[in-house]
Amino acid sequence: MQYQNKSLGKAFDIIESLCEVPQTATELARGLGLNQTTLHRFLVTLLESGIVEKLPTNKYRMSYKFIDLGKMAENHYDLVGDSRPFLEALAKESGESVLISTFHNFSVSYLSKVESSQTVRIVLGPGDRVPSYTVASGKLFLAHLNESLLETYLRTVQLEKKTNNTITEKQPLLDELALIRKQGYAIDNQEYLIGLKGMAAPIYDSSGTVVAALSVAGVEMRLDPEKTEATINQLVNYAKKISYTLGWSD
């Protein structure tokens, strides 16, 4: 028999949502589908525990205590180190550059990269941050945001044209995100840089949360439709393998 603590589950939903961006109680309630009374009860407990704090703006955010707990837990895992063999294998199979990225403050941050063996290579690498709506990994992260956070993102971001292929309108971007959720991977076709084509698949942790993206990026002229399809299959396969090392089970 399986037992499920629904209250604990709701508390983790609140924590997960606040990890994305500070929010008011109204924003939290709307995004999580909770009534204000229920949400208030959870927030009081989280405030008393010290892992959530309330700002003068009436927004709630995760506290430094929570960050410290995360750092201690992080010592048990090494996403970059554990995933490195998979990045190297995928780079060898695909012949293109492979990257791991995470998502902070609505921006993509690249953590690790294995270069392509090709003479002409991509320019993105560890430490670079790019607009999420312009690259495959960013669109993948956006596709997995809850509705409230996605609305917040669309209200605050300026969809600027980087190339002629950049999506600069809200509805086409929403349509693209819906397609990504359906097919389980994202593609960008020279939307950030002319000549750069990328693909990204989600990396899940043990809770089924998307915690990172595995990407393949290369020169557009090398990635014809047949090569793109083959590379996507390889990409999705390796993203699952990395997810398994983090305790995920599909």
Side-chain angles (χ1 to χ4, degrees):
M1 181 180 293
Q2 293 183 338
Y3 296 91
Q4 188 176 38
N5 189 314
K6 293 183 178 180
S7 293
L8 187 59
K10 289 178 181 178
F12 276 110
D13 287 342
I14 294 170
I15 291 171
E16 182 179 351
S17 187
L18 288 178
C19 281
E20 295 286 353
V21 65
Q23 298 171 70
T24 64
T26 300
E27 290 169 336
L28 274 169
R30 183 172 62 245
L32 297 173
L34 298 173
N35 63 55
Q36 291 283 355
T37 301
T38 300
L39 177 64
H40 177 73
R41 186 168 66 249
F42 283 107
L43 286 175
V44 167
T45 300
L46 292 171
L47 286 167
E48 290 177 348
S49 72
I51 65 172
V52 166
E53 60 185 15
K54 188 175 183 180
L55 301 173
T57 59
N58 287 326
K59 289 190 174 185
Y60 295 87
R61 71 177 180 188
M62 304 312 299
S63 69
Y64 277 107
K65 178 181 178 180
F66 181 80
I67 295 172
D68 288 339
L69 290 171
K71 289 179 179 178
M72 286 189 289
E74 190 177 23
N75 291 331
H76 300 286
Y77 298 93
D78 180 7
L79 175 60
V80 173
D82 291 344
S83 65
R84 187 73 182 184
F86 299 109
L87 269 68
E88 292 173 348
L90 179 55
K92 184 176 181 179
E93 287 186 23
S94 67
E96 302 296 342
S97 297
V98 180
L99 306 96
I100 287 277
S101 60
T102 53
F103 193 60
H104 297 290
N105 296 324
F106 296 127
S107 294
V108 177
S109 179
Y110 294 102
L111 302 180
S112 182
K113 174 184 178 183
V114 174
E115 284 279 14
S116 164
S117 59
Q118 304 283 353
T119 303
V120 181
R121 303 172 181 176
I122 67 168
V123 297
L124 295 175
D128 289 335
R129 297 176 72 88
V130 298
S132 299
Y133 64 93
T134 64
V135 292
S137 52
K139 291 190 292 183
L140 183 79
F141 288 123
L142 293 176
H144 288 85
L145 288 179
N146 65 46
E147 184 177 349
S148 176
L149 289 175
L150 183 56
E151 288 178 358
T152 299
Y153 174 78
L154 292 173
R155 283 198 309 270
T156 57
V157 71
Q158 181 70 35
L159 300 177
E160 298 177 351
K161 182 183 288 292
K162 299 296 182 180
T163 74
N164 287 335
N165 292 348
T166 307
I167 300 174
T168 57
E169 298 294 333
K170 177 180 177 180
Q171 191 55 54
L173 180 58
L174 289 173
D175 293 341
E176 176 85 352
L177 301 183
L179 176 62
I180 291 168
R181 285 190 293 272
K182 180 179 180 181
Q183 64 190 13
Y185 60 86
I187 296 177
D188 76 74
N189 185 23
Q190 306 180 82
E191 295 165 43
Y192 179 65
L193 288 173
I194 291 297
L196 173 63
K197 185 173 182 178
M199 294 147 271
I203 294 174
Y204 301 96
D205 66 8
S206 59
S207 70
T209 301
V210 177
V211 294
L214 180 66
S215 305
V216 172
V219 179
E220 188 273 338
M221 64 182 180
R222 291 199 299 260
L223 291 166
D224 59 27
E226 183 178 353
K227 174 70 181 296
T228 297
E229 182 179 358
T231 303
I232 288 172
N233 290 333
Q234 296 167 342
L235 171 70
V236 170
N237 181 45
Y238 277 100
K240 287 182 177 180
K241 289 181 178 181
I242 297 173
S243 297
Y244 294 147
T245 69
L246 299 180
W248 176 70
S249 174
D250 59 353

